[in-house]
Structures are given as structure tokens and as C-alpha cells.
Amino acid sequence: MIRINVREKNKNVVINMISSIIELDGCEEILMKTKEDLIETKLPPAVGTRDIREILKNIGIPCHILGYRYIQDAVAIAKKEPYKPKDLVKIIYAEIAVKNGTTSTRVERAIRHAIEKAFTYGNSEEIYKYFGNSYSKDKGKPTNKEFIAMLVELMKEDRNEN
């Protein structure tokens, strides 16, 4: 058991941080006790979250960099509301930034950095396996918008097959 003393005004920030950390490990429940109350949060298994993590890991995006988590968030938002990829910078980056207490610019940069890592040092065979003809060494790496859109499409195909 880990004990964390938190001020009431920071409680939601801490809950979000812990939820993100535990979600990466596949845990389904968080119990957090404050002086005022006991908060019990059950995290529903996110559809496709494990699949996205698997793809990101396989193509070579390290899970310790911020862009890894931001890409997961962006794909989840884009899957829920398919009209949003057009407004990626304005809406999705802003939502991710608010959730993580940062700016849209930093979110964009972290995602770009993660994609750069994958396409520079990652497994090109795995990249080709997932992205097929839309990827070639001659074309270079995709933009953030293209990369996220491709992942969303992969998730749709996955859902249609099952």
C-alpha cells in the first residue's frame, strides 16, 4: 500500500496521474482515501487501448516518453468523435493539454518526437506491417495528423474484424 497525502484542490490532478500510470500497467481499480471521503474509481477496459500500446511498442515508440501517452489519448479522442481529425491541433491537442496540465504546442511536439523516434530508430518491418503502402523510407515519416489517422483506421479495421 502506498500512502499519498494530497490537498483537496490537487486531488483530481493526482487521481488523473495515478489513473494514467495504472492504466499503462493494466490495473482496473484505484482506491484513494482522503480525510473527507473514500474515492473508488473503476476504470473500464478501454476498447483498443491495449492494441494501440502493442502497435506503438512494436513500431518502436518507447513507453517512457510523453508522446507515447499523448498518441494514445489522441487516438481515443479521434475514435470517439470521428469529425475531430480535421481539427487535430485545435481540439484534440487542446483536450490532451488540459487533461495533462500542459500546452497544445507541447503536446504536438511530444507526439512529433515520438513519431520521429519510431521512424528513425524503430522496426521498419513492423511499421510497414501496420502502415503498409502509406509508409516508405523515401517518403519519410508521416505528419502527426497522418499518423494518428492511420492508427484510428487500424482500430476501426480491428473492430470490424471482431
Side-chain angles (χ1 to χ4, degrees):
M1 182 167 123
I2 300 171
R3 182 178 182 165
I4 303 172
N5 293 322
V6 184
R7 292 191 178 133
E8 184 64 30
K9 68 179 185 176
N10 296 331
K11 181 171 63 174
N12 289 335
V13 173
V14 172
I15 289 171
N16 287 338
M17 275 183 8
I18 292 171
S19 296
S20 296
I21 292 167
I22 291 175
E23 185 179 293
L24 288 174
D25 196 33
C27 186
E28 294 178 1
E29 187 174 354
I30 300 171
L31 296 173
M32 188 163 131
K33 186 176 182 179
T34 63
K35 290 181 182 177
E36 293 79 26
D37 58 355
L38 177 68
I39 300 169
E40 183 175 329
T41 307
K42 293 203 184 249
L43 299 173
V47 177
T49 301
R50 288 190 187 275
D51 299 331
I52 298 236
R53 288 191 299 233
E54 188 70 25
I55 291 170
L56 297 178
K57 183 183 95 177
N58 288 345
I59 65 173
I61 296 179
C63 63
H64 69 277
I65 61 176
L66 282 174
Y68 178 88
R69 188 173 68 212
Y70 294 165
I71 290 170
Q72 287 181 23
D73 291 345
V75 170
I77 293 168
K79 272 177 46 182
K80 285 182 201 167
E81 301 173 39
Y83 65 88
K84 286 188 176 180
K86 292 181 258 178
D87 303 320
L88 192 68
V89 176
K90 293 178 187 173
I91 298 172
I92 295 179
Y93 287 178
E95 283 185 35
I96 295 169
V98 168
K99 177 183 172 187
N100 293 284
T102 189
T103 65
S104 295
T105 306
R106 288 180 178 167
V107 170
E108 185 275 331
R109 188 181 318 127
I111 291 173
R112 186 169 16 99
H113 173 70
I115 295 169
E116 182 74 35
K117 282 270 196 199
F119 281 77
T120 304
Y121 303 109
N123 185 339
S124 58
E125 290 175 11
E126 286 292 319
I127 293 170
Y128 186 78
K129 175 181 149 188
Y130 290 113
F131 300 113
N133 294 332
S134 60
Y135 162 70
S136 75
K137 290 184 180 182
D138 300 334
K139 287 183 189 177
K141 67 180 180 66
T143 64
N144 292 8
K145 185 176 181 178
E146 292 169 337
F147 186 78
I148 291 166
M150 285 189 271
L151 288 174
V152 170
E153 284 302 311
L154 282 172
M155 295 299 104
K156 285 180 186 175
E157 290 171 9
D158 232 16
R159 195 175 12 189
N160 290 341
E161 287 176 8
N162 296 331

